[in-house]
Amino acid sequence: MTYPTPKIKPSEITPRDIYQARRQFMQLTAAVAAAALWPGELFAGEKLATAKSSNFAAKEELTPYDKVTQYNNFYEFGTGKDDPAAYAGSLKTRPWTITIEGEVHKPMTFDIDQILKMAPLEERIYRLRCVEAWSMVVPWIGFPLAELIKRVEPTGKAKFVEFISLHDPEQMPGQRTSVLNWPYKEGLRIDEAMHPLTLLTVGLYGEVLPKQNGAPVRIVVPWKYGFKSAKSIVKIRLVENQPVSSWTQANPNEYGFYSNVNPEVDHARWSQAKERRIGEFFKRPTLPFNGYAEQVAQLYAGMDLKKYF
Ligand SMILES: Nc1nc2c(c(=O)[nH]1)N[C@H]1C(S)=C(S)[C@@H](COP(=O)(O)O)O[C@H]1N2
Ligand SMILES: [Mo]
């Protein structure tokens, strides 16, 4: 198949200093208002937020932009929380393609700019709950991953979906160490991947994803621990057998395949009963499925969630 010429040249990608300067404006227009007021011309003609907005986080306050973009986990750029913001500048986000392959009738490779135009982008306010017992509330921008998966027409053997992040030690200095097995890999069951809460994410706070948050495209799975939400992905593979994630490989006792947020199942080394919302002092109770039980609990009906942690 042929692709339209990308409208954004690498030289035109919104640089960090521009969006830093616009930060205050972002905060004013955060949440639902962002859609209507968005000055698309600042993105070389590309609007990221749309008029549609689904607020699944109810009345919770958004985590400030500074925290969302300066307190990160992205081991490709180091293991410290401030490493990604400091070092992710070396990541090149154009040109960028995602290949979807495996148990599909129509394997495809999409250019990132094609992805941006594929489905209406929505702002969705979701909590991200890290397994380290902190959390954030972020206005993500993207569309349900199901839209992309449907395009490639999964075969009857497609039972799981594997996500593979970029592997390039030149751009990602953390990959020169063996803190994880590279590339970063994660996986979901196909019904989890097709659930409308599972987001193919290209932006936050109304703008293209900052590099430290997984530019140019990442997954967000709001009812699971943060590590299930793979960043800077280049490949999606539909497979018959349950894939092994980088974290499970590193420590199978601590990081299970399902990793649904569950206050009743402790991590091997600490409790999951409470969490600290980044920027707040007092901890708050952790909710089953990170507060999305109503939407997703039925996916696990009859399963022992202590065994399938
Ligand atoms: N490729 C890749 N994806 C990743 C990670 C990583 O180290 N590498 N860290 C994960 C973890 S542990 C968390 S909590 C979230 C953090 O996302 P954020 O920095 O945008 O808040 O990204 C997840 N995705
Ligand atoms: Mo995490």
Side-chain angles (χ1 to χ4, degrees):
M1 61 191 287
T2 55
Y3 304 131
T5 313
K7 287 212 175 112
I8 295 189
K9 294 189 205 109
S11 59
E12 291 173 336
I13 294 166
T14 313
R16 186 180 165 80
D17 54 342
I18 294 178
Y19 62 72
Q20 288 293 4
R22 293 172 55 223
R23 196 182 53 207
Q24 278 188 298
F25 175 75
M26 306 294 171
Q27 283 168 348
L28 282 173
T29 61
V32 184
L37 299 175
W38 207 254
E41 69 274 10
L42 292 175
F43 297 109
E46 190 134 38
K47 274 193 234 167
L48 277 189
T50 75
K52 256 174 128 195
S53 180
S54 340
N55 185 350
F56 287 103
K59 303 262 183 288
E60 284 175 281
E61 234 176 273
L62 297 179
T63 303
Y65 179 91
D66 278 352
K67 306 274 192 225
V68 172
T69 57
Q70 289 174 40
Y71 189 92
N72 301 98
N73 266 341
F74 200 171
Y75 276 26
E76 285 87 335
F77 297 101
T79 55
K81 302 297 171 214
D82 44 10
D83 287 340
Y87 302 118
S90 55
L91 176 67
K92 290 191 218 90
T93 59
R94 295 291 194 288
W96 192 282
T97 58
I98 305 191
T99 299
I100 315 198
E101 58 181 33
E103 287 297 342
V104 300
H105 293 293
K106 294 185 174 164
M108 290 188 194
T109 295
F110 295 93
D111 188 90
I112 182 63
D113 293 296
Q114 214 184 352
I115 295 274
L116 287 171
K117 292 174 187 77
M118 230 189 76
L121 297 178
E122 282 184 45
E123 183 182 75
R124 293 172 178 236
I125 298 167
Y126 287 159
R127 300 179 202 95
L128 183 140
R129 168 60 157 81
C130 182
V131 72
E132 295 165 282
W134 49 265
S135 63
M136 298 183 178
V137 180
V138 182
W140 302 108
I141 295 171
F143 57 83
L145 174 65
E147 301 286 329
L148 191 69
I149 293 179
K150 279 182 213 154
R151 295 245 184 152
V152 296
E153 299 177 14
T155 72
K157 285 188 183 166
K159 303 276 194 281
F160 294 91
V161 182
E162 186 176 31
F163 306 100
I164 299 154
S165 298
L166 180 69
H167 190 195
D168 184 350
E170 292 210 346
Q171 295 181 50
M172 296 176 144
Q175 290 180 337
R176 296 170 211 159
T177 76
S178 48
V179 58
L180 284 175
N181 278 340
W182 309 110
Y184 193 94
K185 286 188 189 152
E186 258 308 333
L188 295 172
R189 225 169 50 189
I190 184 95
D191 57 338
E192 299 176 321
M194 299 294 284
H195 192 282
L197 284 183
T198 301
L199 214 60
L200 193 69
T201 304
V202 296
L204 56 76
Y205 268 104
E207 62 181 44
V208 293
L209 266 185
K211 292 179 179 179
Q212 59 268 40
N213 295 93
V217 59
R218 70 177 294 178
I219 302 297
V220 172
V221 194
W223 71 95
K224 292 178 181 278
Y225 292 117
F227 65 88
K228 300 298 287 182
S229 297
K231 294 176 166 181
S232 304
I233 57 169
V234 293
K235 198 171 278 191
I236 298 176
R237 226 183 257 148
L238 283 85
V239 293
E240 188 168 9
N241 299 312
Q242 184 174 300
V244 181
S245 73
S246 296
W247 282 104
T248 303
Q249 233 163 19
N251 199 335
N253 296 325
E254 299 190 5
Y255 307 101
F257 176 76
Y258 283 92
S259 284
N260 292 315
V261 174
N262 191 339
E264 286 169 15
V265 176
D266 290 339
H267 182 273
R269 288 178 280 144
W270 58 80
S271 165
Q272 293 293 12
K274 290 186 176 175
E275 68 200 57
R276 190 186 306 282
R277 184 65 46 85
I278 294 300
E280 292 180 2
F281 181 74
F282 293 105
K283 289 191 174 175
R284 50 172 82 211
T286 284
L287 301 172
F289 300 105
N290 201 22
Y292 303 98
E294 206 182 305
Q295 289 92 350
V296 301
Q298 81 281 358
L299 295 175
Y300 311 101
M303 280 176 70
D304 177 354
L305 296 179
K306 289 200 163 79
K307 182 173 175 206
Y308 298 102
F309 66 94

